[in-house]
């Protein structure tokens, strides 16, 4: 198993399939984009499946989340999902996406074995979407959400980040829309993972701000810590339920003590935390013909050294040099 010195056991693997993205969200990357990884540096489909197999069969991983960049840009995505679905034991599989290509791929992904999706959507206003993402693709995301629901990739979760002066007034509107369409909405505090290092703690919309805004329109009842487990989102019943809304407060209410995640970057590096400054290279082991046991040993050693927390509560925190698109959210 993947255990650390604080007794936490990682059972949830986040796999970044590509660093590329077809949006340019202001809180993630600059308008001109980034210098993408060279193709030889990326893990191949076979290498990704092999590492997931080792994680599932030797290291106790029970959940796999495919991320990016934008994972729908990965040409072999459906095939990867299909092969992972054939593992014994079979892990639960989900996908975090911006939704732009989901209308085209939702049915195929479901047939391949994908269980559900998380779709990023920060606003219901097409003009604000264009400002936030620097792309005019709002209607494509809405269509992707509808396709995911129709394909049975449920529960469909929607991730929203609120930005001051842009969409910070939309929390109640977003929740009413999510309840109407039977999506589970989760607000995420803006995190310091932008390539241009423009994040400022004193300018972010906090979990407290979000909840205060939601309570102007809805009655929120805490779900209870027993229901949360190791999930990053605190959840509330909306007007008595059954609909729920979640808030992931990585900055103001860290949940590091219950973290059960390990991360694999698109170029084959293990990251013990989204905000870690160190990585452990598995790609080199793969390409030097190391056996499965040796790769598992390296992975275990990396996780054993996981730090107690993310460091976000430290005023001197320095964010990772690699942006979210290269790490995987």
């Amino acid at each position: 198993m993947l255990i650390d010195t604080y007794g936490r056991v990682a059972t949830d693997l986040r796999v970044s399939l590509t660093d590329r993205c077809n949006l340019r969200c202001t809180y993630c990357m600059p308008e001109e984009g980034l210098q993408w990884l060279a193709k030889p540096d990326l893990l191949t489909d076979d290498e990704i499946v092999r590492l997931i197999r080792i994680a599932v069969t030797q290291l106790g991983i029970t959940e796999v989340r495919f991320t990016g960049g934008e994972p729908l840009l990965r040409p072999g995505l459906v095939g990867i999902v299909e092969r992972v679905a054939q593992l014994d034991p079979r892990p639960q599989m989900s996908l975090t996406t911006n939704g732009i290509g989901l209308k085209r791929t939702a049915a195929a992904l479901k047939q391949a074995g994908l269980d559900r999706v998380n779709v990023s959507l920060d606003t219901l206003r097409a003009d604000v979407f264009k400002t936030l993402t620097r792309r005019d693709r709002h209607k494509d995301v809405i269509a992707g959400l509808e396709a995911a629901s129709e394909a049975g990739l449920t529960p469909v979760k929607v991730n929203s980040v609120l930005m001051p002066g842009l969409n910070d007034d939309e929390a109640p509107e977003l929740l009413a829309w999510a309840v109407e369409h039977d999506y589970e909405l989760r607000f995420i505090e803006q995190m310091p993972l932008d390539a241009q290092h423009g994040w400022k703690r004193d300018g972010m919309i906090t979990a407290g701000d979000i909840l205060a805004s939601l309570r102007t329109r809805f009655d929120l009842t805490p779900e209870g810590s027993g229901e949360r487990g190791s999930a990053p989102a605190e959840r509330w019943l909306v007007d008595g339920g059954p609909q729920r809304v979640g808030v992931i407060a990585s900055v103001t209410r860290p949940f590091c003590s219950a973290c059960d995640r390990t991360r694999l970057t698109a170029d084959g590096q293990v990251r013990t935390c989204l905000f870690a400054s160190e990585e452990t290279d598995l790609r080199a082991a793969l390409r030097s013909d190391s056996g499965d046991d040796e790769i598992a040993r390296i992975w275990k050693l990396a996780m054993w050294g996981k730090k107690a927390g993310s460091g976000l509560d430290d005023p001197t925190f320095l964010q990772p040099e690699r942006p979210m698109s290269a790490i995987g959210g």
Side-chain angles (χ1 to χ4, degrees):
M1 66 174 64
L2 294 172
I3 190 170
D4 64 34
T5 55
Y6 298 93
R8 296 169 297 192
V9 178
T11 58
D12 184 339
L13 171 62
R14 308 293 171 96
V15 181
S16 175
L17 297 178
T18 178
D19 60 330
R20 296 176 183 267
C21 189
N22 42 13
L23 296 180
R24 297 291 181 270
C25 296
T26 57
Y27 51 78
C28 184
M29 68 173 73
E31 186 170 5
E32 65 273 15
L34 300 167
Q35 183 174 351
W36 310 121
L37 292 167
K39 188 173 181 180
D41 294 335
L42 293 170
L43 294 177
T44 66
D45 293 0
D46 287 344
E47 288 171 334
I48 289 170
V49 173
R50 183 184 175 196
L51 287 177
I52 295 174
R53 176 177 56 76
I54 292 170
V56 169
T57 61
Q58 295 194 34
L59 298 174
I61 291 297
T62 59
E63 297 181 47
V64 176
R65 171 86 61 86
F66 297 108
T67 70
E70 173 45 52
L72 295 182
L73 295 180
R74 177 88 186 200
L77 172 60
V78 172
I80 291 171
V81 170
E82 188 172 34
R83 292 168 68 183
V84 173
Q86 295 170 0
L87 293 177
D88 185 15
R90 180 198 185 282
Q92 288 290 306
M93 287 185 291
S94 58
L95 177 84
T96 294
T97 172
N98 62 31
I100 287 178
L102 205 47
K103 181 178 180 179
R104 183 181 69 255
T105 56
L109 286 168
K110 178 63 177 179
Q111 185 174 2
L114 191 70
D115 295 299
R116 63 172 189 81
V117 294
N118 287 31
V119 180
S120 299
L121 180 65
D122 303 322
T123 177
L124 298 177
R125 306 167 190 168
D127 59 330
V128 176
F129 181 92
K130 187 175 181 179
T131 299
L132 277 168
T133 67
R134 305 185 180 103
R135 298 289 187 271
D136 188 13
R137 305 297 298 273
H138 188 261
K139 63 180 184 300
D140 296 312
V141 180
I142 298 297
L145 279 161
E146 293 172 353
S149 183
E150 291 171 2
L153 293 170
T154 54
V156 175
K157 297 184 179 181
V158 178
N159 296 339
S160 296
V161 176
L162 299 182
M163 301 289 289
L166 287 172
N167 63 339
D168 52 344
D169 61 336
E170 283 198 66
E173 185 180 0
L174 279 162
L175 182 52
W177 167 82
V179 168
E180 178 186 354
H181 291 86
D182 199 25
Y183 303 144
E184 183 175 322
L185 180 63
R186 308 192 311 171
F187 291 99
I188 304 175
E189 288 183 337
Q190 184 196 2
M191 295 179 285
L193 290 168
D194 56 310
Q196 59 270 39
H197 291 198
W199 178 84
K200 295 185 184 302
R201 184 187 299 267
D202 57 5
M204 59 175 283
I205 308 299
T206 68
D209 297 330
I210 294 165
L211 292 169
S213 178
L214 292 175
R215 285 183 170 123
T216 64
R217 185 167 171 181
F218 301 95
D219 178 49
L220 302 181
T221 306
E223 185 179 52
S225 57
E227 295 289 335
R228 182 179 182 182
S230 60
E234 290 183 79
R235 298 199 304 179
W236 286 260
L237 296 174
V238 180
D239 292 337
Q243 291 86 0
R244 292 170 171 79
V245 63
V247 179
I248 299 177
S250 301
V251 180
T252 63
R253 304 180 185 181
F255 39 86
C256 301
S257 63
C259 181
D260 67 346
R261 286 170 289 289
T262 182
R263 298 174 183 276
L264 184 65
T265 67
D267 55 349
Q269 311 300 306
V270 169
R271 293 181 70 93
T272 60
C273 174
L274 191 60
F275 304 100
S277 55
E278 304 89 13
E279 297 177 334
T280 299
D281 189 2
L282 292 185
R283 184 186 64 196
L286 282 170
R287 296 181 181 179
S288 62
D289 296 325
S290 296
D292 290 358
D293 290 346
E294 174 61 11
I295 291 171
R297 186 193 68 81
I298 296 170
W299 205 331
K300 286 179 182 178
L301 188 62
M303 293 303 295
W304 182 250
K306 184 173 182 172
K307 294 180 178 179
S310 64
L312 285 176
D313 53 350
D314 183 348
T316 63
F317 171 78
L318 295 176
Q319 67 188 82
E321 287 303 313
R322 295 226 277 177
M324 187 185 299
S325 62
I327 299 169

